[in-house]
Amino acid sequence: MRTPPDTLPDSPPDHRTRVAMERRRKMRQRLIESAFAVLARKGAHAAVIEDVIVEAGVSRGTFYNYFQNNEELLDAVTAKLGDYLMQLVDPVVRTQEDPAARVASGIRLCLRAALAFPQMAQLVSRMDWQQAAPGGQPHGYLARDVEAGLREGRFKVANARLATDLVVGPVISAFHALLHEPLPPGYPEDLAQGILLGLGLSRTEARQLSQRPLPDLSLVPVPKPA
């Protein structure tokens, strides 16, 4: 007996549709990677459209099929870079069972990356963390540890939003600061300690967690093409 038409399962996209979608994905990735290369040379606030077109070897029309302006391109680049940074940092963070230790190590590793690669700091410092919060990897990883810290009684603040702001605000401020002035030795550890104090840990424990040994990361500021 034939299945009635209104109960047929949705058919998958045909081959041409799948090929077109994959081609579009690869071109967008190519433009973002080209923007990484340009921004590494010229800085995060350069007007980069012309240079990206040349770097990617595409026409102006092709570029504008994917991005309407410079800001839209930079938003895509910073989102990609934030996700990439978290993919490097989080495997180390997850070796810690204590959520307070996770937050401390995440802060320190992110700042070490920014100190090693000022271009990364320029790009990440322009991220709108509050608008990107629901879907971005940086917020997702932090939310995981903040919620665990509150649930386990490690953080003694009113709610998750306050705890998140107590972490994100100082870190973004530090990213901005290191672009304009040399930070004192041990600043990532000092900042992590200060944030843990704000979250309600004792001075002794905050100091201990912020001084735990961490492995060095093999940081590459621009993701390599697949």
Side-chain angles (χ1 to χ4, degrees), residues 13-158:
D14 62 30
H15 176 69
R16 286 177 297 179
T17 301
R18 292 195 301 270
V19 169
M21 290 172 61
E22 179 64 12
R23 184 181 298 118
R24 184 169 180 82
R25 185 194 68 79
K26 287 183 177 180
M27 177 55 70
R28 190 175 191 276
Q29 180 70 11
R30 178 177 172 181
L31 291 169
I32 291 174
E33 288 167 353
S34 297
F36 272 121
V38 170
L39 293 167
R41 294 195 302 266
K42 299 187 68 173
H45 302 291
V48 298
I49 290 177
E50 293 298 330
D51 292 309
V52 169
I53 288 171
V54 172
E55 183 83 20
V58 301
S59 68
R60 178 180 294 273
T62 295
F63 177 89
Y64 283 107
N65 281 334
Y66 294 85
F67 300 102
Q68 296 301 307
N69 51 48
N70 202 57
E71 282 302 305
E72 194 173 302
L73 173 64
L74 288 175
D75 286 344
V77 170
T78 54
K80 185 75 171 179
L81 182 57
D83 289 349
Y84 174 68
L85 180 58
M86 290 302 100
Q87 288 167 12
L88 289 174
V89 167
D90 196 58
V92 178
V93 168
R94 284 190 286 108
T95 64
Q96 312 276 348
E97 293 187 6
D98 176 14
R102 287 187 171 195
V103 168
S105 60
I107 292 166
R108 294 165 62 196
L109 290 168
C110 285
L111 286 180
R112 287 184 185 182
L115 288 166
F117 297 105
Q119 294 91 346
M120 179 183 289
Q122 285 183 309
L123 290 168
V124 174
S125 69
R126 71 182 298 280
M127 290 179 68
D128 188 336
W129 282 65
Q130 300 308 326
Q131 289 185 8
Q137 287 195 45
H139 181 271
Y141 292 138
L142 177 58
R144 175 199 64 199
D145 299 330
V146 162
E147 290 166 5
L150 290 170
R151 187 170 58 251
E152 297 174 20
R154 297 291 284 140
F155 302 149
K156 301 172 179 64
V157 295

Side-chain angles (χ1 to χ4, degrees), residues 103-113 115 171 174 183-197 203 205-216:
V103 168
S105 60
I107 292 166
R108 294 165 62 196
L109 290 168
C110 285
L111 286 180
R112 287 184 185 182
L115 288 166
V171 170
L183 297 179
Y187 187 81
E189 288 67 36
D190 292 341
L191 184 64
Q193 179 178 335
I195 290 172
L196 291 180
L197 288 172
R203 185 170 298 276
E205 191 170 21
R207 183 184 303 111
Q208 290 174 344
L209 292 179
S210 64
Q211 297 293 332
R212 281 187 177 180
L214 291 175
D216 291 330

